[in-house]
Amino acid sequence: MKKKIIKIIVMVIITFLLYFFMLPPLNISSPLFWSFLFTIIVILLGISMVDKLGFNGVTFYTKEPVLNKPVKIILIVIGVLFVGLILVNIINSPIFNSKAYYERIAIKEDGNFTQDVKEVDFNQVPLLDRDSSEKLGDRVMGQMSDLVSQFVVSNQYTQINYNEQIVRVTPLEYADIIRYITNRKNGTEGYIIVDSVTGKSELVRLEEGMKYMPSAILFEKLERKLRFDYPTEIFGEMNFEIDNSGNPYWIVSTIKYVGIGLRPEVTGAIIFDPITGNSQKYDVEEVPAWVDHVYPAPLIISQTNDWGKYKNGFLNSIFGQKEVVATTRGYNYIKIGDDIYLYTGITSVISDESNIGFILTNLRTKETTFYAVPGAEEYSAMASAEGQVQQMKYTATFPLLINLNGKPTYLVSLKDNAGLVKMYGFIDVQDYQKVVVTDVSEGIEKAAKNYLGDAEINISQEDLVIEDIVIQTITSGVINGETKYYITDTNGNRYKASIKVNEDKLPYATVGTTLSISYRKGEGVIEIIKVN
């Protein structure tokens, strides 16, 4: 009897330790739950079998049959469970449920890009990608001598809309187990915020530190605290965000499956305070507006691929492939209104260098719209921009999708080997051969004007001047592969203009020619933006 009690105690301890470290949800639709359960059963069988072995000093021998009746029953149960789980998943697979996979995401297919996406405001364009933000964040941390030996910068860098600013935020984490032990009482001291438009970076120190973090070890470990608070919930992506007052939170999406680990869907979000350890679970319809990331981007991509794959059934997805489409290899984020949207292209399942359109998905509500705008696949556009400066070996960031003068346009940054942004590139979505790159020192608005041929963009009527001038002198030169004209008029005013302004008139303009021009009010050399 004593021996049996010891066995039970050992199994209870082993079970608790496995649960403590594996942290499985007590939910039969979770693959991790079944891994945990089978591991416990295997250990139980192992202990049972070891107990039936003896050792005579030379070799092991069996004191009684290893596969006795109880063991055989357990093995049969395991086999039946294993086969049953496989059958459940086969029944719930796309083979028999392709319609359910197609309907995982509702996509509005009649989107109007120019109506839904406002004309670009370059004060709201996230010109810095994740890699550049990480470099800026590391630089800020390197300047904090009192913190750099105790904490490290997390790789979170969540892009959010913070009081109408597009920023990336990331918390400080414990540097290692020793730093965790010495700092666990006060927690990590703050988070880094990087403005995705201007590049301004700062460390925000908190009055009270964040104790519940992924890098904690014991009961303060974020995943462990959540598991003990929500034992049956299946957790999805965990994103670090701040509210409009700058208070830090972990936003943890909750997931449900069909079968065992199939067709994941977001059911809500847990808003977790890393300072106090308090949390609240919200249904998807009730998530506060300041939260930006409820639906994980990989989940949206997976659901969109199923929408594109199973529209006409399972067999068509393999054989005929009529109307079968898929997302392109990457995605990016853009801000529309108060929310962050995921952008990715939609292309034919047959690999090529073009898209049939693209989708925008609200990552808080999952509202998704498809825009039928045929054009260049993103990596083709990136290669086209890189080709403009191939001698410099710059690399292009994944494109941002913007509305420029009523047309969908790709905007990329071109970076050198050190990761510094050197040029901006604009590429026509519908014709990736139309690409213009501009040195970053000239500014993003000038880069846009260069791309448009210095068309009138974002100029109020009060600032716009339209008048006729008579040319007194005119010369031309080629700057960065583009022809520029330098003009003085009979009143002594100086002008410059790109050939793109009017390639039919400027090459033939001579001394004495009268030009009807438009330009923005200003001092110094006047930049002509239109020749009528």
Side-chain angles (χ1 to χ4, degrees):
M1 181 68 181
K2 183 178 179 181
K3 199 172 183 180
K4 288 185 178 179
I5 293 175
I6 292 174
K7 282 184 180 179
I8 292 172
I9 292 173
V10 169
M11 272 312 301
V12 169
I13 292 173
I14 290 174
T15 301
F16 173 77
L17 289 174
L18 276 174
Y19 183 79
F20 188 83
F21 289 103
M22 291 182 68
L23 300 174
L26 302 180
N27 189 314
I28 61 172
S29 69
S30 168
L32 184 58
F33 168 79
W34 289 103
S35 298
F36 169 74
L37 182 61
F38 284 139
T39 301
I40 294 295
I41 293 173
V42 169
I43 292 174
L44 179 61
L45 288 174
I47 292 174
S48 175
M49 291 179 181
V50 169
D51 193 48
K52 294 177 175 58
L53 296 176
F55 186 65
N56 59 15
V58 179
T59 184
F60 287 98
Y61 65 93
T62 56
K63 296 183 289 186
E64 58 181 287
V66 173
L67 295 177
N68 56 21
K69 188 174 181 180
V71 173
K72 289 180 179 177
I73 291 174
I74 292 175
L75 290 174
I76 290 172
V77 170
I78 291 175
V80 171
L81 275 175
F82 187 73
V83 172
L85 296 179
I86 292 176
L87 288 176
V88 166
N89 273 15
I90 290 175
I91 291 170
N92 285 285
S93 71
I95 298 174
F96 302 105
N97 290 275
S98 60
K99 184 178 179 181
Y101 281 80
Y102 166 70
E103 293 176 345
R104 290 178 68 193
I105 186 169
I107 299 181
K108 178 184 174 184
E109 298 188 43
D110 58 350
N112 185 309
F113 181 78
T114 54
Q115 289 182 4
D116 295 350
V117 181
K118 292 183 179 179
E119 181 82 15
V120 62
D121 177 0
F122 288 111
N123 293 318
Q124 294 288 317
V125 174
L127 298 173
L128 292 177
D129 64 356
R130 184 190 185 90
D131 290 341
S132 297
S133 298
E134 288 183 1
K135 286 182 172 60
L136 291 171
D138 290 343
R139 186 183 304 169
V140 169
M141 188 63 181
Q143 296 169 354
M144 304 295 172
S145 58
D146 60 323
L147 300 179
V148 72
S149 63
Q150 302 298 312
F151 306 103
V152 294
V153 183
S154 168
N155 63 358
Q156 274 275 316
Y157 285 95
T158 313
Q159 187 164 312
I160 63 171
N161 175 22
Y162 174 56
N163 293 326
E164 300 303 316
Q165 293 177 287
I166 303 178
V167 302
R168 287 188 182 271
V169 289
T170 193
L172 302 186
E173 292 272 16
Y174 300 108
D176 51 42
I177 187 171
I178 302 299
R179 271 67 176 185
Y180 160 69
I181 293 171
T182 57
N183 291 287
R184 61 176 295 207
K185 183 178 179 180
N186 296 322
T188 63
E189 294 206 11
Y191 58 85
I192 288 174
I193 182 168
V194 181
D195 191 309
S196 297
V197 179
T198 66
K200 179 183 177 183
S201 309
E202 64 176 318
L203 171 67
V204 178
R205 291 180 182 257
L206 300 168
E207 293 183 5
E208 191 174 350
M210 297 181 288
K211 301 176 180 66
Y212 298 92
M213 303 295 288
S215 56
I217 306 298
L218 299 174
F219 291 95
E220 295 92 352
K221 187 173 180 64
L222 175 63
E223 294 90 336
R224 190 166 292 121
K225 172 65 173 170
L226 285 165
R227 175 54 62 225
F228 289 169
D229 287 349
Y230 303 92
T232 63
E233 291 289 351
I234 300 171
F235 303 133
E237 197 170 75
M238 300 181 182
N239 288 297
F240 182 81
E241 296 194 30
I242 57 177
D243 66 12
N244 293 330
S245 299
N247 301 308
Y249 292 94
W250 287 99
I251 311 300
V252 184
S253 55
T254 56
I255 302 291
K256 69 175 180 179
Y257 292 113
V258 174
I260 311 300
L262 298 180
R263 297 208 315 262
E265 184 53 88
V266 172
T267 60
I270 297 169
I271 299 181
F272 182 92
D273 186 334
I275 298 174
T276 65
N278 297 328
S279 62
Q280 184 171 350
K281 183 179 182 299
Y282 295 85
D283 292 336
V284 286
E285 300 86 3
E286 300 170 348
V287 175
W290 64 265
V291 174
D292 288 311
H293 292 261
V294 175
Y295 289 87
L299 177 62
I300 296 299
I301 296 298
S302 172
Q303 293 185 347
T304 303
N305 282 330
D306 283 348
W307 167 83
K309 187 174 185 180
Y310 298 116
K311 181 177 183 179
N312 293 312
F314 176 76
L315 291 178
N316 179 73
S317 71
I318 298 175
F319 300 109
Q321 296 189 327
K322 180 182 178 182
E323 297 182 62
V324 174
V325 296
T327 59
T328 49
R329 289 175 288 163
Y331 58 86
N332 213 329
Y333 304 105
I334 62 174
K335 173 182 172 292
I336 301 177
D338 294 330
D339 291 310
I340 298 296
Y341 282 69
L342 176 143
Y343 149 76
T344 187
I346 301 295
T347 186
S348 168
V349 72
I350 301 172
S351 181
D352 56 28
E353 295 184 347
S354 63
N355 289 341
I356 64 170
F358 51 86
I359 61 164
L360 293 176
T361 300
N362 186 317
L363 291 178
R364 180 173 60 86
T365 66
K366 197 186 170 183
E367 178 184 356
T368 303
T369 303
F370 171 74
Y371 298 90
V373 181
E377 184 262 348
E378 294 91 336
Y379 283 90
S380 299
M382 291 163 63
S384 184
E386 291 169 355
Q388 293 291 307
V389 288
Q390 56 184 331
Q391 73 279 7
M392 299 178 183
K393 298 183 179 179
Y394 292 160
T395 56
T397 58
F398 194 83
L400 290 167
L401 182 69
I402 61 173
N403 177 354
L404 185 60
N405 262 25
K407 293 186 65 177
T409 306
Y410 289 137
L411 168 59
V412 302
S413 296
L414 291 158
K415 302 195 294 185
D416 63 13
N417 291 333
L420 300 176
V421 176
K422 293 297 186 180
M423 306 188 87
Y424 298 126
F426 287 86
I427 307 101
D428 191 309
V429 167
Q430 295 178 293
D431 178 13
Y432 70 93
Q433 298 296 333
K434 182 182 178 183
V435 53
V436 174
V437 297
T438 302
D439 193 277
V440 69
S441 63
E442 297 191 43
I444 187 64
E445 289 199 14
K446 176 61 185 302
K449 288 163 67 177
N450 288 344
Y451 168 76
L452 293 170
D454 293 337
E456 298 170 40
I457 60 169
N458 300 327
I459 302 177
S460 65
Q461 290 299 314
E462 292 79 12
D463 293 332
L464 186 66
V465 177
I466 302 173
E467 67 177 7
D468 292 340
I469 64 170
V470 178
I471 296 175
Q472 184 171 3
T473 65
I474 181 169
T475 58
S476 64
V478 177
I479 309 297
N480 293 328
E482 182 180 342
T483 302
K484 298 279 189 178
Y485 290 88
Y486 302 90
I487 300 169
T488 58
D489 66 10
T490 52
N491 294 321
N493 298 314
R494 295 178 300 161
Y495 307 86
K496 62 179 179 180
S498 165
I499 191 173
K500 296 176 184 177
V501 169
N502 193 320
E503 60 185 21
D504 292 327
K505 287 188 177 181
L506 283 175
Y508 304 103
T510 60
V511 174
T513 299
T514 299
L515 293 179
S516 179
I517 64 171
S518 301
Y519 60 88
R520 189 200 301 260
K521 288 180 182 177
E523 298 179 355
V525 178
I526 297 169
E527 188 160 4
I528 298 172
I529 59 176
K530 189 174 183 180
V531 174
N532 298 315

